[in-house]
Amino acid sequence: MGKTVFKRKIYDEILEWKENRSDKYALLIKGARRVGKSTIAEEFARKNFKSYIMIDFAHVSKAILELFDDTYHLDFFFLQLQQFTGVRLYEKESVIIFDEVQLFPKARQAIKYLVADGRYKYIETGSLISIKKNTKDILIPSEEHKISMYPMDFEEFLWATGDEITADIIRQLLKNKRSAGNTMHRNLMRIFRLYMLVGGMPQAIEAYLEHNNLQVVDEVKREIVDLYEKDFMKIDGTGLAGDIYDAIPASLTGNSSRYVLSNAREGIRTERVRELIPDILSSYTVNIAYHANNPGVGMALEKDAGRYKLFTSDVGLFVTLAFKDKNYTENIIYNKLLSDKLDVNMGYVYENAVAQMLIARGNNLFYYTMESDTSNHLYEIDFILSSGNKISPVEVKSGDYRGHKSLDIFCDKYSSRVGEKYVVHVKDYKWENGIHYLPVYMVPFM
């Protein structure tokens, strides 16, 4: 049985590179492991070029590696590459793929000269691209056009299940500020809850489609989490990076206004964690929301680098990670989401899903907290989005809730800066008092 190739939105970005940039730039596709980078690169090459060579640096012969010792004589380089791979290259009509290029930095450095040569096109894929061991002693080429690949979003999940209609329906409902109605809303929430359980990793979706069994899906996701744990050891041999990742569910569960370091490891220094965060982010396994000290369109300039929340890049992996040390049958999130009985204490699952969807839409994540003037209560805006010269606060609610006081206080305090206002919840859409009450399945289409 061949590898399943799912329809992915990034395909159009790759096509834009080929048509408009490939003469001067190689394409670098960055993303987490198992997110589908290699699959989409090869599928694109197969459909858009006369021939292609794919060099997988995780599994490549010594003879091919040795070719990169001398890229001065490119005629001989290409002659040998064709001989070793058995693939004929055609000028202007062939592409060479460097898969998992971070494993062999020398090949990445060669991109400068290969692109300048102009005979062929180049696509690189990689994760952990920027960590020191993968850039040490090489000249990083400026001839790279970089794009990011994320887990499959809700619309791509719908496509994978053969549904080409639902996403357009949701778009029209949101555009016209209309509710779906009880029957349609219940069905859309059921589908979205299934997406949260399966997640957006292609292997997990493939397992769901083939077996229709969430335990099998969970086993696939556990393998991916284990793979990430091994990758984290490349970042930090003490295992701290892996501990930080493992503690994400616990930190969100505690309703803290920031990531709690003690959930990862007792006694760890803040400075040590801060040193690791950039490398952890470069793995694309984690999304980060920084505290906005001064919420406005320039939040990135005034973010608090020491105050942040972490989310897993895929909500399906989050569900598995939350109960990683227990059996599948003990993971109550599966049963509660399937039966639509996820209580308010598990709202962090929705918060992680919303973070993932906002990142996939190209947003940087920020949040904001305010102390009450009359008590020790902390008011929090889960996410703040920047659009034009305005900001849009987003509160995420799960289950029944009594109000949105945090949103009201924030909008009063920063009224001149606020554009659209959102409450993301599990109920149907409504527009009331200048607030969009969005069912969570509408977030990808905001």
Side-chain angles (χ1 to χ4, degrees):
M1 181 175 170
K3 183 189 296 184
T4 303
V5 180
F6 294 114
K7 179 181 177 183
R8 304 295 298 270
K9 294 178 181 178
I10 199 172
Y11 192 96
D12 291 337
E13 292 185 63
I14 303 174
L15 186 60
E16 191 276 336
W17 160 79
K18 179 180 184 292
E19 293 177 347
N20 301 317
R21 306 171 191 266
S22 59
D23 286 344
K24 295 182 179 180
Y25 298 94
L27 179 69
L28 174 58
I29 306 174
K30 301 187 293 179
R33 295 244 263 154
R34 302 290 177 86
V35 82
K37 303 183 301 296
S38 307
T39 301
I40 199 68
E42 187 167 17
E43 177 73 358
F44 184 85
R46 186 178 64 80
K47 287 186 174 181
N48 292 275
F49 290 91
K50 190 171 181 178
S51 72
Y52 71 92
I53 291 174
M54 187 165 188
I55 304 174
D56 178 1
F57 288 108
H59 185 71
V60 64
S61 71
K62 182 180 179 182
I64 289 180
L65 292 180
E66 288 176 346
L67 292 181
F68 292 90
D69 290 337
D70 181 11
T71 54
Y72 185 77
H73 301 286
L74 286 177
D75 286 347
F76 193 54
F77 175 89
F78 292 128
L79 182 67
Q80 288 182 293
L81 186 60
Q82 292 173 91
Q83 183 68 28
F84 290 147
T85 60
V87 176
R88 180 177 176 182
L89 294 173
Y90 300 86
E91 285 196 26
K92 308 296 184 182
E93 298 181 275
S94 295
V95 63
I96 300 173
I97 303 170
F98 291 169
D99 193 31
E100 300 292 357
V101 72
Q102 80 280 355
L103 297 176
F104 195 62
K106 193 181 293 185
R108 189 180 178 199
Q109 179 172 265
I111 283 293
K112 177 180 181 67
Y113 310 104
L114 295 172
V115 169
D117 173 73
R119 271 177 268 191
Y120 313 113
K121 312 298 185 184
Y122 300 90
I123 297 176
E124 304 166 275
T125 78
S127 60
L128 297 170
I129 285 290
S130 60
I131 66 171
K132 292 176 183 176
K133 69 176 289 187
N134 292 333
T135 57
K136 186 180 180 182
D137 300 327
I138 71 164
L139 182 66
I140 302 299
S142 58
E143 296 77 10
E144 288 177 333
H145 174 60
K146 302 177 180 70
I147 60 175
S148 297
M149 189 171 189
Y150 300 103
M152 293 171 68
D153 66 17
F154 182 48
E155 186 171 14
E156 290 172 324
F157 177 78
L158 292 170
W159 293 341
T161 62
D163 184 346
E164 298 275 349
I165 299 171
T166 296
D168 289 334
I169 293 174
I170 296 173
R171 282 192 182 92
Q172 285 301 313
L173 291 172
L174 182 56
K175 179 181 178 182
N176 297 314
K177 298 182 180 179
R178 293 188 59 181
S179 60
N182 288 338
T183 301
M184 185 186 295
H185 172 69
R186 282 198 301 269
N187 184 54
L188 290 172
M189 280 303 304
R190 179 187 62 80
I191 298 170
F192 188 81
R193 290 196 305 271
L194 179 62
Y195 168 68
M196 290 170 70
L197 292 175
V198 175
M201 302 305 286
Q203 283 180 297
I205 294 175
E206 185 176 13
Y208 163 70
L209 294 175
E210 184 176 348
H211 299 282
N212 192 38
N213 183 303
L214 288 176
Q215 184 165 355
V216 175
V217 173
D218 191 69
E219 290 167 359
V220 170
K221 292 190 292 176
R222 284 172 186 261
E223 290 175 1
I224 296 172
V225 169
D226 288 344
L227 178 68
Y228 289 174
E229 299 285 2
K230 293 176 183 175
D231 282 345
F232 288 135
M233 292 299 292
K234 300 173 186 175
I235 294 175
D236 166 58
T238 71
L240 178 58
D243 290 346
I244 292 170
Y245 181 74
D246 286 349
I248 289 174
S251 203
L252 290 178
T253 307
N255 292 319
S256 173
S257 63
R258 68 176 72 194
Y259 183 88
V260 180
L261 299 182
S262 60
N263 285 327
R265 188 180 292 180
E266 288 287 349
I268 192 66
R269 292 184 302 108
T270 302
E271 294 77 13
R272 177 64 185 128
V273 175
R274 190 179 296 186
E275 291 170 2
L276 285 176
I277 288 296
D279 285 344
I280 293 174
L281 295 177
S282 79
S283 72
Y284 278 73
T285 60
V286 169
N287 294 325
I288 193 168
Y290 287 104
H291 188 272
N293 292 335
N294 182 19
V297 293
M299 289 179 291
L301 300 175
E302 299 188 49
K303 69 184 182 186
D304 188 338
R307 193 173 182 184
Y308 50 83
K309 286 188 173 185
L310 296 179
F311 306 89
T312 63
S313 61
D314 177 68
V315 67
L317 294 184
F318 181 94
V319 168
T320 293
L321 190 64
F323 287 80
K324 189 185 76 163
D325 297 327
K326 297 182 180 180
N327 294 327
Y328 161 79
T329 53
E330 295 180 79
N331 191 333
I332 57 177
I333 299 177
Y334 282 98
N335 290 334
K336 293 204 172 199
L337 268 179
L338 278 177
S339 60
D340 192 18
K341 293 180 180 178
L342 194 71
D343 55 57
V344 69
N345 293 327
M346 291 188 180
Y348 54 83
V349 185
Y350 283 104
E351 191 177 348
N352 199 102
V354 171
Q356 175 183 343
M357 292 186 288
L358 293 177
I359 285 283
R361 294 277 294 172
N363 296 286
N364 293 316
L365 301 184
F366 299 93
Y367 70 101
Y368 185 68
T369 56
M370 303 164 286
E371 292 183 0
S372 170
D373 294 331
T374 57
S375 69
N376 292 325
H377 186 76
L378 201 64
Y379 296 106
E380 181 174 322
I381 300 299
D382 295 307
F383 302 106
I384 305 173
L385 309 180
S386 178
S387 179
N389 62 350
K390 296 290 184 179
I391 56 174
S392 297
V394 180
E395 263 207 80
V396 182
K397 303 287 188 179
S398 63
D400 292 324
Y401 62 93
R402 297 179 181 177
H404 40 74
K405 193 168 183 180
S406 294
L407 185 69
D408 295 338
I409 292 174
F410 180 87
C411 291
D412 286 343
K413 184 173 183 178
Y414 297 105
S415 57
S416 63
R417 307 180 187 182
V418 172
E420 303 288 352
K421 311 168 193 175
Y422 297 97
V423 171
V424 175
H425 62 168
V426 297
K427 300 176 183 178
D428 206 347
Y429 177 88
K430 70 176 180 179
W431 166 259
E432 187 175 274
N433 298 325
I435 299 174
H436 295 276
Y437 292 82
L438 289 186
V440 65
Y441 55 75
M442 282 189 176
V443 173
F445 311 100
M446 286 170 62

